[in-house]
Amino acid sequence: AGRSSSQGSSSSRSGSGSDEDEACVTVMRAELMRGHRPVVVSEVPVYVALRDRDGRLFEDKGNCKHVRYRWMRGPVIKPCFFHPHKMSQIRDVAKTYLCYCSKECFLRGWHNLPQHLWSAASEDDAADEPIAEWCEVAATRHYCPSQQDIDRPLRMDIIPLTKDGRDATPGMMSITTGTVIPTPKEARTRRMISNGGTFNAEWLSKQFKVMNWNVLADLYATESVYPYCEKWALSWNWRKHLILKELKSMAADIITLQEVQKDAFDDWFRPQLAEAGYEGIYQPKKREPIFHRGKYTTEGCATFYKTTRFKRVDKQTYDYDKLSAAEVRQLFPDAQSEEKALQRLSKGNVALAIVLEDQHIKVSHGSQSCGPNGGHAIAVVNTHILCDPGAADVKLWQGHLLLQSIRQQTGGSMPLLICGDFNSTPESAVYEYFRRGNVRSDHEDLRKDPVGLVKQLTLRHNTLMATAYETCTGREASFTNYTEDFKGTLDYIWFSPDTLSVLAISQVDDESQLTQETALPSSTRPSDHVSLVATFMFHDSPVEQEAGQQGGGRGLPSFLAGGGSQGGHGGYHMGGGHLATGTPTSSSGDGIYNMSNMHYTRDYAAQYFDWNAALSLEQTGNA
């Protein structure tokens, strides 16, 4: 038996009535936004447009007294056996007695499904027929589905009223949804991979967890970009629940997110994560707002931290366009070259930096960076570098400006995390620059330099950086971005190995899991990116990089002051807080260093941890 039922919505209108039954308003349009499937405890997003007798068109959000609403619940329509996220269109009443979403699934079940997976024949076929009665569940403009609505379609009736309050049924319009789906299931398990060593329980209280994730802004979650993903699974109404469950399940102390819309930050992330003990900072990209779902909005970076563990000391925004303008004026010889360079560099990308003070762990040596109350201080930078695959020069320029600005404003002394979507693979010039401190002159990404950006840069730095995943496993995650068109690693958690030890990372899903619904996003994975999670701790004692390093307390230069030099200055304020000061490590050499010397990071952690014994499983994501 076949069933035809839209996964999105369908609407219908009765015929016109007589003049004496004329309604005060006419229902012009009613539709589900983007064909959403209704989700339990989330309001069904419906748009209703009316026209009054004067010809004025307006959207009714529940305030019009000349129309009433009625929500009806329909019969059960079971999901497809092979694709539980899809509504069934066919029910096998002769052999397997299961439901399927397509002819292909039906034939697959008929020919290949083992008998022990068949369902039993229904004793009352009439009870399974979609012609069964519909019952009223609400008489309001807005409706949030309940558990009783799961696997059932809903129908919204919009009924105009006459002057005396009677139903003008000839002008009624109805909209029918797909079947109601439950909210996302609880977290799936992701195995933690340790950095080796022996277990010391004392250090469990000192570790802190960092999570990075590009959550895919609703602005970009379109059917044209992700045609393989179900419409309802692309909807923010569904994805926001999955994202929040994964964030909460990881219980990270620091969370860095990219592609967070301003309205999503205000209405969803900030209030929901506040309930879980987080405080958040947001920085939109420097681009013109985009008109989206009836309003102008932007997207950018959001950083959250557990207030029970960290306290914010300072905040700084790195605007790549402004930084580029200052750099270009110094490097380019004439106005024409300068204008061309700025046109290519003006992309609106940003980095959000905050300084946090650990409220649990105090510094044990004067050379360690500390906050106003003597706790370990750490700079957390969250960035989203340009995604254009044809602009490797701009990406490298942005990466260079970021490292240069951080060093100028921190003096290179502070423990550092740089998290984000770098839109650069491990083979890219950006990755090589971060990892090695320079870029090979014959690198593929340097060949295309249309306005001479790269040749103007001195591509060397001496900020020692490593990634959490490569340090723990010897290689980066196989995939952090997995779509039909691109599959690869673009996201990283970079850290300063001279001040921080990485203890463990959370294993990302293997390819067989990511292809269950072709690619990402899917009904169980709400973004086209995979989240990265790593556990760190501060070094108990400083790792000396230079024999001539001076002793004394290590100070934290103020982002607000914008200076990297401290000298013998006694004290200064950072976001209003007085900080310990001292003499920072002075940089020397040509900026090139041998990463083979980084084995000390692994050895340092190995002295204290056997994380395979301590942490074998970590919860994250959804089932």
Side-chain angles (χ1 to χ4, degrees):
R3 286 183 181 143
S4 177
S5 181
S6 172
Q7 291 193 24
S9 63
S10 61
S11 59
S12 60
R13 186 203 297 274
S14 304
S16 59
S18 61
D19 291 341
E20 62 185 22
D21 293 326
E22 184 178 357
C24 296
V25 295
T26 303
V27 184
M28 300 301 297
R29 182 180 173 191
E31 65 179 16
L32 275 175
M33 295 184 184
R34 288 181 65 196
H36 288 188
R37 287 276 292 280
V39 183
V40 170
V41 308
S42 288
E43 183 180 308
V44 182
V46 180
Y47 175 82
V48 177
L50 305 176
R51 184 179 66 190
D52 61 20
R53 289 184 176 180
D54 297 328
R56 183 176 67 93
L57 287 169
F58 61 96
E59 178 187 357
D60 182 37
K61 297 183 178 181
N63 301 319
C64 182
K65 62 182 181 180
H66 300 300
V67 66
R68 76 179 183 92
Y69 295 93
R70 178 176 64 202
W71 286 91
M72 308 290 289
R73 176 194 295 149
V76 171
I77 301 178
K78 295 178 180 177
C80 174
F81 176 80
F82 293 111
H83 303 108
H85 60 287
K86 293 187 178 183
M87 287 171 49
S88 65
Q89 306 290 330
I90 301 170
R91 183 165 64 92
D92 179 3
V93 296
K95 184 178 180 181
T96 65
Y97 299 99
L98 295 171
C99 297
Y100 306 98
C101 65
S102 64
K103 181 179 71 174
E104 290 75 19
C105 284
F106 166 72
L107 293 175
R108 178 183 169 190
W110 181 275
H111 293 295
N112 302 323
L113 200 65
Q115 188 168 353
H116 71 275
L117 295 178
W118 297 358
S119 181
S122 174
E123 296 180 359
D124 184 8
D125 281 340
D128 292 330
E129 287 303 313
I131 303 175
E133 73 279 357
W134 290 62
C135 63
E136 184 172 341
V137 292
T140 56
R141 164 68 174 81
H142 306 284
Y143 182 66
C144 290
S146 66
Q147 294 287 338
Q148 290 72 34
D149 297 320
I150 294 175
D151 289 339
R152 296 174 181 270
L154 299 173
R155 190 183 76 225
M156 181 191 197
D157 297 331
I158 305 129
I159 308 167
L161 303 177
T162 61
K163 284 185 177 180
D164 58 4
R166 292 179 295 113
D167 290 353
T169 51
M172 182 178 80
M173 182 178 287
S174 297
I175 178 169
T176 304
T177 75
T179 54
V180 175
I181 50 181
T183 50
K185 296 178 181 178
E186 291 307 316
R188 66 183 183 273
T189 57
R190 272 170 58 175
R191 187 167 65 91
M192 294 298 288
I193 301 175
S194 77
N195 204 5
T198 57
F199 176 67
N200 186 328
E202 175 192 353
W203 285 65
L204 285 175
S205 62
K206 297 185 178 182
Q207 59 89 21
F208 61 93
K209 190 183 295 183
V210 179
M211 181 179 188
N212 179 75
W213 199 9
N214 179 328
V215 295
L216 178 59
D218 190 39
L219 286 166
Y220 310 137
T222 64
E223 297 165 46
S224 59
V225 178
Y226 307 102
Y228 49 85
C229 185
E230 294 288 321
K231 291 181 182 178
W232 60 267
L234 270 180
S235 73
W236 182 244
N237 192 42
W238 171 257
R239 294 195 302 115
K240 68 181 183 181
H241 291 286
L242 283 171
I243 293 169
L244 187 65
K245 282 182 179 290
E246 184 155 344
L247 295 178
K248 286 185 174 182
S249 67
M250 281 311 308
D253 299 289
I254 299 170
I255 299 173
T256 53
L257 304 177
Q258 300 84 46
E259 287 195 19
V260 176
Q261 280 183 210
K262 181 64 169 66
D263 52 332
F265 177 80
D266 292 335
D267 302 336
W268 184 250
F269 287 111
R270 183 161 60 182
Q272 291 290 333
L273 289 175
E275 292 181 5
Y278 291 92
E279 196 170 279
I281 307 293
Y282 180 74
Q283 179 58 54
K285 290 178 180 173
K286 303 291 184 174
R287 296 176 181 172
E288 288 297 318
I290 299 172
F291 192 74
H292 179 69
R293 306 204 189 291
K295 57 186 173 184
Y296 285 94
T297 189
T298 56
E299 57 91 2
C301 298
T303 300
F304 294 87
Y305 55 93
K306 277 271 190 177
T307 56
T308 54
R309 179 64 188 267
F310 290 103
K311 181 179 180 179
R312 181 164 65 91
V313 175
D314 206 355
K315 173 201 168 190
Q316 172 75 9
T317 299
Y318 296 123
D319 181 340
Y320 292 129
D321 289 357
K322 286 186 177 180
L323 293 172
S324 296
E327 192 88 352
V328 164
R329 281 194 294 269
Q330 295 180 10
L331 296 178
F332 283 80
D334 58 84
Q336 185 177 3
S337 299
E338 181 179 326
E339 183 181 356
K340 287 182 179 180
L342 288 178
Q343 284 180 349
R344 183 154 181 84
L345 288 169
S346 298
K347 304 297 183 181
N349 297 85
V350 297
L352 170 63
I354 62 173
V355 174
L356 300 176
E357 180 182 3
D358 194 327
Q359 301 192 88
H360 289 180
I361 313 299
K362 305 297 183 181
V363 298
S364 56
H365 297 270
S367 57
Q368 294 174 316
S369 299
C370 64
N373 299 308
H376 277 285
I378 183 171
V380 180
V381 182
N382 179 2
T383 191
H384 190 178
I385 283 178
L386 183 68
C387 78
D388 185 353
D393 56 329
V394 179
K395 296 180 188 183
L396 185 56
W397 184 280
Q398 291 180 350
H400 166 76
L401 289 177
L402 180 60
L403 288 174
Q404 176 178 274
S405 300
I406 291 172
R407 185 159 188 87
Q408 286 174 352
Q409 296 189 333
T410 66
S413 61
M414 196 187 312
L416 176 63
L417 290 170
I418 306 180
C419 311
D421 177 358
F422 292 79
N423 278 304
S424 305
T425 67
E427 295 75 40
S428 68
V430 171
Y431 185 94
E432 186 170 307
Y433 187 56
F434 271 68
R435 187 72 170 79
R436 293 182 49 185
N438 72 330
V439 182
R440 303 186 318 273
S441 60
D442 60 347
H443 196 288
E444 178 73 22
D445 287 351
L446 303 186
R447 295 180 182 178
K448 183 181 179 182
D449 191 15
V451 297
L453 290 176
V454 176
K455 71 179 182 181
Q456 296 292 339
L457 293 178
T458 301
L459 289 173
R460 290 180 177 179
H461 71 85
N462 58 358
T463 302
L464 189 63
M465 300 298 298
T467 70
Y469 277 67
E470 195 271 344
T471 301
C472 278
T473 65
R475 62 183 181 85
E476 298 297 343
S478 300
F479 309 100
T480 65
N481 182 225
Y482 199 92
T483 67
E484 215 169 27
D485 298 326
F486 176 84
K487 300 170 178 63
T489 301
L490 303 175
D491 310 81
Y492 309 95
I493 299 176
W494 293 93
F495 71 101
S496 52
D498 55 335
T499 54
L500 296 170
S501 290
V502 60
L503 309 174
I505 54 96
S506 181
Q507 187 177 39
V508 301
D509 299 325
D510 59 39
E511 193 163 13
S512 64
Q513 294 171 306
L514 301 179
T515 56
Q516 287 177 353
E517 294 176 36
T518 304
L520 304 183
S522 68
S523 66
T524 58
R525 291 168 175 81
S527 174
D528 56 342
H529 287 252
V530 176
S531 65
L532 301 179
V533 182
T535 304
F536 294 93
M537 70 178 179
F538 296 101
H539 285 328
D540 259 1
S541 58
V543 178
E544 304 294 343
Q545 291 188 73
E546 302 179 38
Q549 181 175 354
Q550 298 181 21
R554 178 177 292 178
L556 302 184
S558 170
F559 277 166
L560 298 179
S565 174
Q566 299 173 59
H569 192 278
Y572 50 78
H573 290 270
M574 184 174 190
H578 186 73
L579 300 180
T581 59
T583 304
T585 302
S586 61
S587 59
S588 62
D590 60 6
I592 303 175
Y593 44 78
N594 185 354
M595 296 306 292
S596 64
N597 293 329
M598 283 183 55
H599 68 273
Y600 67 79
T601 307
R602 182 184 301 271
D603 295 341
Y604 190 88
Q607 294 174 36
Y608 302 98
F609 286 92
D610 180 0
W611 278 85
N612 287 320
L615 293 174
S616 58
L617 289 176
E618 190 72 45
Q619 295 290 324
T620 184
N622 56 284

